[in-house]
Amino acid sequence: MIKPVDILMVGVGGQGTVLASKVLAQAACGAGYDIKVSEIHGMAQRGGSVVTQVRLGEKVYSPLIAEGGADIVLAFEKLEGLRFLRFLRPGGTMIVNDQEIPPVPVLAGAAEYPAGIVDYIRRAVPSAVVVDALGLALECGSARAANVVLLGVLARRLPIAREIWEEALAGRVPARFLEANRAAFRAGYGYNG
């Protein structure tokens, strides 16, 4: 029997959250999982939140994850990680990109970007994995591959063979960007933070 896994992926429009969820879905299918995906784009083109719920298992009937029900929260931006921390089940895994993308109220001067987000997350989830995904992506040749760095960090924690992940990546990423994305995936997969 395949153990079910519920994964909440959260980020900001333009970070590649949806692409990452599609690669995850393809890899999970390749590994024999039944999978359901739900995407919510809240003003994503204006820098708003993007939330993708991914559930995989032997048989999945709904894509929705209740608060406190996610086995893994993968946050592409740390404020989004804080906002959706309540979805993580006790003992779950939190992976958060240490990147700061100011939301519209901060850009407009109506609010300040909250300080101490990573410290708060680490107090709530001592085992949280904090990743400088943007820095690793830049080392791999493309800032736009930060999402794939995070996907690599996630991949290492799921029972799906690395070869299946790399096939799924090749199936979803245009050929001209594939080498940088492969390098980004491997950097995330090997991340030990």
Side-chain angles (χ1 to χ4, degrees):
M1 174 177 260
I2 297 174
K3 183 177 182 242
V5 182
D6 295 341
I7 303 164
L8 188 73
M9 303 170 86
V10 298
V12 174
Q15 285 196 288
T17 306
V18 173
L19 173 64
S21 70
K22 289 180 177 177
V23 173
L24 167 58
Q26 189 166 335
C29 284
Y33 284 95
D34 184 29
I35 185 160
K36 297 287 185 287
V37 177
S38 174
E39 298 169 356
I40 301 169
H41 308 256
M43 303 290 283
Q45 292 183 355
R46 296 184 185 174
S49 295
V50 176
V51 181
T52 303
Q53 300 184 21
V54 182
R55 300 187 69 220
L56 50 114
E58 190 166 312
K59 184 66 183 164
V60 178
Y61 297 97
S62 167
L64 302 179
I65 301 170
E67 282 190 29
D71 295 296
I72 300 172
V73 172
L74 177 60
F76 292 70
E77 197 274 342
K78 60 187 177 184
L79 182 54
E80 293 302 310
L82 178 63
R83 285 174 25 122
F84 289 93
L85 182 60
R86 68 185 189 279
F87 278 80
L88 187 66
R89 71 166 171 76
T93 300
M94 178 84 181
I95 302 168
V96 60
N97 184 6
D98 193 20
Q99 186 175 359
E100 184 175 308
I101 299 176
V104 172
V106 172
L107 293 173
E112 290 187 21
Y113 193 92
I117 290 175
V118 168
D119 291 339
Y120 183 89
I121 290 173
R122 282 188 164 141
R123 281 194 301 274
V125 185
S127 62
V129 178
V130 180
V131 184
D132 177 11
L134 179 59
L136 289 172
L138 286 168
E139 289 175 11
C140 295
S142 173
R144 296 182 61 89
N147 61 335
V148 178
V149 169
L150 292 165
L151 195 62
V153 176
L154 171 69
R156 190 165 163 186
R157 288 157 174 83
L158 294 176
I160 299 173
R162 182 174 165 168
E163 297 76 29
I164 294 174
W165 281 103
E166 296 211 11
E167 287 173 18
L169 190 64
R172 290 289 177 178
V173 173
R176 67 183 186 278
F177 303 122
L178 189 55
E179 280 313 307
N181 279 274
R182 279 183 172 143
F185 179 83
R186 292 171 184 155
Y189 198 88
Y191 183 74
N192 288 315

